[in-house]
Amino acid sequence: MAMFTKDNMIMDLQGTTQKEILEDLAKKAYAMGAVKDAAALFSDYLAREEESTTGFGNGVAIPHSKSDNNLKATIIFGRSQQPIEWQSLDGQPANTFISLIVPTAEAGVHLQLLAKLSRQLVHPEFVDVLKNGSQGEVYELINKTIQ
């Protein structure tokens, strides 16, 4: 099964807080069969945010989890209509989320994906498509990036 498909996208996240967004992403991951337990993924996300923020700036956050609860390497994309306070590195709220969910045994994959995506986040054109592009455009862009 592909790591990232159009089914992995939520173009209208309804949450209004960081916790609600993370909860929505965790429920989506569970519904897709990417994790054994949605609550465990939610806890992983929160623990990760406590270590250091996943808000990379420019309104983009990359919440991620590496755990035995995760069944397969999966990427979930989400966008919210409203800005969400995320303790981002640039102090700006986030409204665009790329979640990486990776089994512990695939730690290498986790680091590669994080590196590939975070390198692109310095490019305004890349960020612009993530934030404003259609579902199809965002899908193409992320798939091209992770190849």
Side-chain angles (χ1 to χ4, degrees):
M1 164 146 173
M3 199 180 323
F4 184 63
T5 70
K6 285 190 181 164
D7 290 339
N8 299 33
M9 303 175 76
I10 311 169
M11 302 307 284
D12 57 346
L13 281 164
Q14 299 301 310
T16 57
T17 64
Q18 185 183 46
K19 284 188 169 160
E20 286 176 0
I21 294 289
L22 292 173
E23 220 169 321
D24 289 346
L25 292 170
K27 285 178 187 158
K28 176 75 168 169
Y30 178 74
M32 290 166 40
V35 296
K36 292 177 208 163
D37 181 53
L41 175 56
F42 178 64
S43 304
D44 286 350
Y45 281 149
L46 291 180
R48 178 62 192 78
E49 294 297 334
E50 277 167 27
E51 276 173 42
S52 66
T53 182
T54 61
F56 278 72
N58 290 325
V60 181
I62 305 185
H64 49 278
S65 158
K66 184 176 72 212
S67 126
D68 291 334
N69 177 52
N70 303 340
L71 299 171
K72 54 183 186 239
T74 305
I75 296 175
I76 296 175
F77 175 85
R79 208 152 63 187
S80 64
Q81 290 306 310
Q82 48 205 25
I84 310 290
E85 176 46 54
W86 211 272
Q87 288 84 50
S88 299
L89 298 173
D90 62 359
Q92 297 301 309
N95 70 340
T96 305
F97 310 95
I98 305 172
S99 178
L100 309 178
I101 300 161
V102 181
T104 309
E106 295 180 49
V109 174
H110 181 78
L111 291 172
Q112 282 175 337
L113 289 173
L114 204 51
K116 284 177 178 175
L117 288 162
S118 52
R119 271 200 300 268
Q120 292 302 320
L121 290 178
V122 299
H123 301 296
E125 320 75 66
F126 183 85
V127 173
D128 186 56
V129 173
L130 288 183
K131 296 179 80 152
N132 304 305
S134 67
Q135 184 171 4
E137 288 166 340
V138 173
Y139 171 75
E140 296 293 328
L141 184 73
I142 292 178
N143 258 335
K144 201 170 68 188
T145 304
I146 61 175
Q147 292 316 320

